[in-house]
Amino acid sequence: VLTTMLSSSGRLGPCRPAPSRQVICDASSNYVRRAVLSSIGAGSLHLISSRSGYAASESGEIPSAPDEGAAGPGPGSTAAAVQEVPARRRLQPVPRTKLKCGLEVSQIIKGCWQLDGAHRGDAQSDRTSGADAVADFERFFMAGVSSLDTADIYGPSEALVGQFLRLNPWLRDEVQVSTKITCMEEDMAHLSRDMLEYKVTAAMRRMGVAQLDLVQLHWEDLNVKGYVDAAKWLADMKGRGLINHIGLTNFDTPHMIQVLDAGVKIASNQVQYSLLDRRAELYMADLCGKKGIALLPYGVLAGGFLSSSYLGKAAGKVPVNTMSKAKYGAQLKELGGWTYLQEVLQGLKPVADKHGVSVSAVAIRWVLQQECVPAAIIGARNASHVKDLQSVFTFELDEDDLFAIDALYEGATNQPSSDIFVWERGGAW
């Protein structure tokens, strides 16, 4: 592959195809991939292994992943290494943006809750563990999804992120790693400065990094004091270079104010936020706007229910086979149940058709157009929806679209009126 693609000077050789064409390469080895990227720059050519089902484009446009079993050199093939193929639908990589704190992230952040071992679901589409999960990180990265969000309680997810980074060390500066330090039960009552630092350094070792780009504090019961001290200890670790930025997860407005009043600079608050769950708009968005704090939404697709896959489907035929479905199914029940979900999906379908995208892309686009939302966290069990994520940036919702979506929300029989994560902590909806 190197002798075919590169001249002796380390630049593209004479076999360079026209910009309108794409190259599929049998570049399965990390050595080949690293050599090509370092020779011509990752921004000039997107090179991906055909063994993993990837394509490459000189123009920087990333097409959809080819179907498995598509023609081309297979594992171990010594046939022609480079093939020209007609261009597929041209989609740009997911763009990046900067938070007010200066941290640059991709506007789609890959959520890693699905890698905790409780989201395997259908066996045929399951890629939530082992080598499959690690390989999918690369597919997301090559589509522009360079930011990863994990947690110390997401099973082996941090170790899987670490494996990906160890296999691709030249990507470390291009990948933004955020994790959550989760304090629950006895952790809240007995947390010390040393124990918190142990948690942080353990996460660093699992992921093989010298610094964590963003550490987000989750405090399960905000009636138990200690979260302000924990945030201040994280600030001390930031001062010593272990952490680049500090965030919160599932903090409601009054308790985030307490952390801010203690002098801790907060970069973000990770909250549940979707066109179905708008609790973030009640109080939190206003505070974040005033303080320059990013809202990083999860649950954007309501555990996958905001998808045309469920349009017209009977509730009894939907298996609740992942933790996400169980969680968001309970919230759908609060909003109005399966009948209400069907009304929402029916209303979103014309908007999706108008823009030539999926219902899920519309749901993601809606969140990204909200105040204080620079990026959205999207969990995925596999990389089959990468092209769908890229399509989110091919359109914007206009006033008519936004009005129609707001009207769907008004149809909920029981809209939430409480702050962030109050219901999940046993409070009112």
Side-chain angles (χ1 to χ4, degrees):
V1 175
L2 279 177
T3 56
T4 306
M5 294 192 65
L6 303 177
S7 67
S8 59
S9 63
R11 298 185 180 276
L12 279 172
C15 66
R16 178 177 182 171
S20 61
R21 308 293 278 180
Q22 295 157 11
V23 181
I24 290 181
C25 308
D26 188 17
S28 301
S29 77
N30 288 331
Y31 173 78
V32 170
R33 193 180 296 109
R34 175 172 54 189
V36 173
L37 289 175
S38 63
S39 296
I40 63 176
S44 305
L45 176 73
H46 289 282
L47 174 67
I48 318 177
S49 165
S50 65
R51 185 175 298 181
S52 302
Y54 303 140
S57 167
E58 268 191 283
S59 63
E61 296 171 300
I62 301 182
S64 60
D67 297 330
E68 290 188 21
S77 170
T78 56
V82 178
Q83 300 178 359
E84 267 192 276
V85 294
R88 301 194 179 194
R89 180 181 179 183
R90 299 183 183 279
L91 293 170
Q92 295 296 327
V94 171
R96 293 191 187 185
T97 187
K98 274 192 176 182
L99 310 190
K100 296 287 187 181
C101 65
L103 177 64
E104 186 177 69
V105 298
S106 54
Q107 288 194 263
I108 298 294
I109 299 172
K110 186 186 186 310
C112 297
W113 184 31
Q114 282 69 22
L115 308 183
D116 69 348
H119 288 83
R120 293 183 176 172
D122 177 63
Q124 292 185 337
S125 61
D126 175 37
R127 292 178 64 86
T128 61
S129 61
D132 289 339
V134 173
D136 277 359
F137 281 129
E138 188 172 1
R139 291 189 65 179
F140 278 95
F141 177 81
M142 299 308 276
V145 181
S146 62
S147 301
L148 307 175
D149 178 77
T150 183
D152 57 1
I153 61 167
Y154 290 177
S157 66
E158 288 183 333
L160 292 170
V161 171
Q163 181 72 357
F164 166 64
L165 293 175
R166 279 186 284 273
L167 289 172
N168 302 275
W170 53 92
L171 296 182
R172 176 61 190 100
D173 290 340
E174 299 296 323
V175 174
Q176 302 81 47
V177 177
S178 64
T179 193
K180 289 177 281 293
I181 299 300
T182 308
C183 296
M184 305 174 71
E185 299 176 354
E186 66 274 4
D187 283 342
M188 295 182 292
H190 305 292
L191 187 68
S192 65
R193 182 192 296 265
D194 289 342
M195 180 56 70
L196 185 61
E197 184 164 337
Y198 167 78
K199 287 175 173 286
V200 170
T201 54
M204 293 167 60
R205 289 195 174 118
R206 282 191 289 269
M207 291 186 278
V209 297
Q211 183 186 63
L212 293 169
D213 296 309
L214 176 65
V215 170
Q216 303 154 104
L217 176 66
H218 173 86
W219 197 268
E220 184 68 12
D221 186 352
L222 293 172
N223 292 316
V224 178
K225 301 302 179 183
Y227 48 87
V228 172
D229 286 338
K232 292 165 72 174
W233 295 335
L234 289 176
D236 176 67
M237 288 180 235
K238 177 183 175 184
R240 291 189 283 123
L242 298 178
I243 297 169
N244 195 4
H245 297 284
I246 300 168
L248 302 175
T249 299
N250 296 323
F251 268 65
D252 60 23
T253 308
H255 293 91
M256 188 164 84
I257 290 173
Q258 292 180 26
V259 174
L260 292 170
D261 286 347
V264 180
K265 187 175 181 180
I266 299 301
S268 62
N269 189 17
Q270 186 177 143
V271 300
Q272 186 172 305
Y273 193 10
S274 73
L275 58 84
L276 292 177
D277 181 358
R278 304 191 182 189
R279 287 176 288 176
E281 297 176 357
L282 298 177
Y283 314 102
M284 183 59 68
D286 183 61
L287 177 63
C288 288
K290 291 176 180 177
K291 300 295 184 180
I293 297 171
L295 282 175
L296 296 181
Y298 67 88
V300 173
L301 298 178
F305 286 120
L306 285 175
S307 162
S308 57
S309 301
Y310 296 99
L311 180 58
K313 202 165 190 177
K317 294 186 177 180
V318 177
V320 182
N321 53 5
T322 67
M323 284 187 67
S324 292
K325 286 183 179 178
K327 172 183 177 178
Y328 293 102
Q331 294 178 356
L332 281 173
K333 186 177 179 180
E334 293 287 339
L335 288 164
W338 196 254
T339 299
Y340 173 61
L341 175 65
Q342 291 302 308
E343 293 173 0
V344 170
L345 295 177
Q346 289 168 9
L348 293 176
K349 185 67 164 59
V351 179
D353 292 343
K354 169 183 169 181
H355 295 285
V357 296
S358 68
V359 165
S360 297
V362 170
I364 299 171
R365 183 75 249 173
W366 182 89
V367 167
L368 287 173
Q369 289 186 212
Q370 303 311 305
E371 185 180 356
C372 303
V373 178
I377 299 167
I378 307 297
R381 296 172 53 251
N382 55 57
S384 64
H385 301 296
V386 164
K387 184 172 72 171
D388 203 32
L389 297 177
Q390 291 175 267
S391 75
V392 170
F393 303 94
T394 64
F395 73 104
E396 287 192 4
L397 298 171
D398 58 32
E399 289 186 8
D400 291 340
D401 300 329
L402 295 171
F403 181 82
I405 293 171
D406 285 345
L408 294 172
Y409 180 68
E410 293 300 323
T413 58
N414 185 25
Q415 294 178 7
S417 58
S418 64
D419 206 340
I420 299 296
F421 220 68
V422 169
W423 180 75
E424 288 85 347
R425 290 187 170 100
W429 174 251

